[in-house]
Amino acid sequence: MGKDKTITLFLAGDVMCGRGIDQIMPSPVNPHLYEPWIKDAREYVTLAENVNGDIPRNVEYSYIWGDALAVFEKMQPDALIVNLETSITQSETPWPYKGINYRMHPDNGKFLQAAHINCCTLANNHVVDWDYAGLRDTTDVLNRAGIAHCGAGKSVDEALAPAIIETKTARVLVFAFGFESSGVPSQWAASKDKSGVAFYPDMSQKTVADLKNRILSQKKPGDIVVASVHWGENWDYTITKKEREFAHSLTTEAGVDVFFGHSSHHVKAIEIYEGKPILYGCGDFINDYEGIKGYREYRGDLELMYFLTLNSSSGTLQKAELVPVTMKRFRVMRLFGDDILAVKEIVDRESEKFGVFVENQGGVLVVKKKRG
């Protein structure tokens, strides 16, 4: 491979296509919920309609993606990677006492194919919402669709094995794992003889060493490695010293080229460390939160599509472009005007301490690193 070749990755935070999103697709599951206040998933559709108007039912699978499809067509990413925070199953056995259990009908899994998603990361706090049968169904659906996945499996070695995406330019290895701080129950941790998610109890040097061994045993010259990390609180901009040290260690010691963090319902800071992008929190991408009140100060409705262009030989970042979007009538829609300025302000404010800011170039936020 020529040293000047590049590869562009699309990354998006949490894709939560259960509940209301599932209910407007052609084959919704039983809408009964086990939440404290809402017992029918269709109520989330009504809440959203009360804010933004009527939402069609029995929509085509491309409907949910909305403007994202045109963005994909323009940006032409080589690989599309999302964090899938929904179990794809008809299981009627919810994980007990969890309260919020996301699922979508297996037939509706076709909506991932409608956007040509290449990889779903599964190490998160919703993939076992419908017990281990739901997890098995999820991986079966993804396997049948030809969508790579990582972060969960029949054993810890399978859960921590990378998803492999072959592109024309480079091989992309995606490793996924989660922490209890994001709500991943420790009981879900996969073990030698037990299904579950890739789970680490802490960000210690022991964890770094284990990840280093697993990553470097798989990474070959010219490979690009993405670490998908589900961590942190839902509503909090804070990035702790320990979290930053952990992200730095993975990039400098474990061969990670892209640190892909998620769990918070809003976008967080961006850092470029030793030429490698660290996305501390990508926020939500697809959800049914339009009609839900609370936490307005975090502007979780201001979302980003992340496009990272890397040198395919060194893995160093060449360009990072962020496309501001929102969910409206359960569709991904481009943002304009004051909303772009608002999300720019958030990214600038949170990334300033890392010497990073963004420039608005025709509605696309281009990541820049301050000199000096």
Side-chain angles (χ1 to χ4, degrees):
M1 297 179 187
K3 64 179 181 179
D4 294 324
K5 289 185 178 180
T6 60
I7 181 171
T8 298
L9 307 180
F10 164 72
L11 299 174
D14 300 344
V15 171
M16 295 176 281
C17 41
R19 289 195 324 198
I21 301 293
D22 174 73
Q23 291 300 308
I24 71 165
M25 287 196 273
S27 302
V29 295
N30 180 344
H32 181 69
L33 301 176
Y34 296 86
E35 299 177 9
W37 308 113
I38 295 181
K39 302 299 183 182
D40 190 312
R42 292 168 293 190
E43 289 190 39
Y44 284 99
V45 185
T46 301
L47 288 172
E49 289 180 320
N50 290 340
V51 175
N52 289 319
D54 291 346
I55 297 173
R57 308 303 197 269
N58 194 31
V59 300
E60 294 184 0
Y61 294 114
S62 59
Y63 171 88
I64 309 296
W65 298 101
D67 290 343
L69 296 180
V71 176
F72 293 148
E73 183 65 27
K74 180 179 181 180
M75 304 296 278
Q76 291 291 305
D78 297 285
L80 294 86
I81 304 164
V82 301
N83 178 52
L84 179 65
E85 272 207 287
T86 299
S87 185
I88 309 177
T89 183
Q90 292 188 78
S91 168
E92 292 291 346
T93 305
W95 190 267
Y97 310 112
K98 191 167 183 292
I100 297 177
N101 304 78
Y102 284 111
R103 64 174 170 168
M104 69 183 302
H105 193 286
D107 288 347
N108 290 341
K110 296 183 180 72
F111 111 103
L112 294 166
Q113 294 170 279
H116 305 290
I117 299 300
N118 299 108
C119 175
C120 291
T121 64
L122 304 178
N124 57 60
N125 59 311
H126 285 294
V127 75
V128 192
D129 275 357
W130 294 86
D131 217 295
Y132 296 106
L135 174 60
R136 289 194 299 271
D137 291 343
T138 301
T139 56
D140 286 348
V141 169
L142 295 175
N143 288 338
R144 289 196 297 271
I147 298 173
H149 54 87
C150 54
K154 297 176 182 177
S155 67
V156 64
D157 287 337
E158 184 175 303
L160 279 164
I164 300 175
I165 308 169
E166 300 280 357
T167 77
K168 294 179 180 179
T169 306
R171 196 172 72 143
V172 180
L173 307 184
V174 185
F175 293 81
F177 51 92
F179 293 102
E180 197 165 18
S181 61
S182 66
V184 181
S186 59
Q187 304 98 303
W188 289 8
S191 64
K192 181 179 179 181
D193 302 310
K194 172 178 166 292
S195 295
V197 302
F199 176 90
Y200 283 104
D202 54 42
M203 292 177 280
S204 65
Q205 273 303 120
K206 181 179 179 181
T207 296
V208 173
D210 186 72
L211 285 165
K212 177 181 177 179
N213 289 337
R214 291 178 184 276
I215 292 170
L216 295 184
S217 69
Q218 297 283 335
K219 187 176 185 179
K220 298 177 181 178
D223 286 348
I224 299 296
V225 169
V226 176
S228 171
V229 186
H230 205 62
W231 64 345
E233 301 290 337
N234 286 341
W235 305 103
D236 190 0
Y237 287 115
T238 303
I239 296 165
T240 67
K241 180 182 177 182
K242 189 66 178 177
E243 287 171 340
R244 193 179 183 203
E245 290 174 347
F246 179 74
H248 288 182
S249 294
L250 290 192
T251 59
T252 58
E253 299 177 34
V256 169
D257 300 301
V258 176
F259 189 97
F260 170 36
H262 38 77
S263 178
S264 62
H265 290 312
H266 54 82
V267 298
K268 298 179 73 171
I270 297 170
E271 183 175 11
I272 302 170
Y273 183 72
E274 302 291 340
K276 305 298 175 74
I278 298 175
L279 310 177
Y280 283 102
C282 291
D284 290 341
F285 184 47
I286 290 175
N287 61 37
D288 62 357
Y289 290 179
E290 281 178 65
I292 302 175
K293 298 179 180 179
Y295 299 100
R296 296 292 186 185
E297 67 273 22
Y298 288 95
R299 293 304 306 271
D301 59 313
L302 303 178
E303 303 169 351
L304 289 171
M305 301 173 68
Y306 296 78
F307 294 88
L308 307 181
T309 299
L310 312 171
N311 181 294
S312 61
S313 297
S314 65
T316 54
L317 182 69
Q318 303 297 295
K319 180 170 58 175
E321 298 169 287
L322 318 178
V323 179
V325 295
T326 192
M327 288 296 291
K328 188 171 183 179
R329 298 176 66 234
F330 286 2
R331 301 189 81 192
V332 177
M333 306 293 286
R334 289 287 297 267
L335 289 175
F336 299 97
D338 290 344
D339 284 333
I340 290 180
L341 296 179
V343 70
K344 177 187 185 310
E345 180 182 352
I346 292 170
V347 177
D348 283 345
R349 182 192 70 217
E350 297 303 318
S351 305
E352 181 180 16
K353 55 184 170 287
F354 303 134
V356 168
F357 66 101
V358 291
E359 285 185 355
N360 182 7
Q361 297 184 7
V364 175
L365 302 181
V366 180
V367 177
K368 301 287 184 177
K369 189 171 183 179
K370 292 181 180 178
R371 296 181 180 179

